[in-house]
Amino acid sequence: MNNKLTVFRKEHFNAAHRLHNPAWTNERNKSVFGLCNNENYHGHNYELTVQVTGEIDPETGYVIDLKILSDLIKAEVLDRFDHKNLNLDTIEFRSLNPTAENIAVVIYNLLRSKLDLKLDLKIRLNETERNFVEYPA
């Protein structure tokens, strides 16, 4: 019997950012990124869904203890990004454009390094109600 199962943990954080490529002219940045290139930044209420897939542990009945996963997300993601300006307040985005795509990859890498390798991980990040990304695809 295959006891592989997927569990999900949803979290929420607020952050400001500016989409900007410093190698480009201001005109090109405004053309490509539009309002998201506002020099005074703008913010989102991000919805984060962390998906962990693995075998059910016969002793605990868990794929992963969701309290442990919640604490991990808080320590690695929420404490780092919530109520921050991603461009100015975080090391991860000092030289990386904080698009939803890049934010999802960064979150994946932060969590992946702390999870048992036998567990599969997927990140879904909703930047708005209609715009979201998933990593890995």
Side-chain angles (χ1 to χ4, degrees):
M1 179 171 145
N2 180 356
N3 284 333
K4 225 171 200 196
L5 185 84
T6 301
V7 296
F8 300 83
R9 176 71 188 185
K10 289 183 90 173
E11 295 288 351
H12 174 89
F13 66 96
N14 302 310
H17 69 161
R18 178 186 188 203
L19 301 186
H20 185 81
N21 183 334
W24 293 353
T25 65
N26 285 337
E27 293 74 27
R28 184 167 182 202
N29 273 291
K30 287 177 184 173
S31 173
V32 171
F33 299 121
L35 293 174
C36 295
N37 182 247
N38 182 337
E39 65 186 46
N40 294 314
Y41 306 90
H42 69 283
H44 293 283
N45 299 315
Y46 292 97
E47 293 291 336
L48 172 66
T49 304
V50 176
Q51 176 180 326
V52 178
T53 302
E55 297 284 335
I56 298 172
D57 183 308
E59 292 182 12
T60 66
Y62 293 151
V63 169
I64 185 172
D65 183 329
L66 289 175
K67 173 68 170 120
I68 291 171
L69 182 60
S70 175
D71 290 346
L72 178 63
I73 296 166
K74 182 181 182 320
E76 295 298 321
V77 179
L78 304 183
D79 290 348
R80 189 180 307 248
F81 300 140
D82 189 32
H83 285 81
K84 302 286 173 66
N85 180 314
L86 298 178
N87 302 79
L88 301 176
D89 300 332
T90 68
I91 294 167
E92 293 80 7
F93 298 105
R94 290 252 165 89
S95 60
L96 180 65
N97 206 5
T99 62
E101 294 88 339
N102 283 333
I103 297 168
V105 171
V106 165
I107 290 171
Y108 174 90
N109 289 331
L110 290 168
L111 297 178
R112 177 73 273 169
S113 69
K114 304 290 185 184
L115 287 175
D116 191 316
L117 291 176
K118 70 182 179 185
L119 298 171
D120 294 326
L121 175 65
K122 185 175 233 180
I123 300 301
R124 179 178 181 159
L125 184 69
N126 289 64
E127 189 172 65
T128 70
E129 190 174 297
R130 293 180 295 236
N131 297 335
F132 60 91
V133 297
E134 288 186 339
Y135 182 78

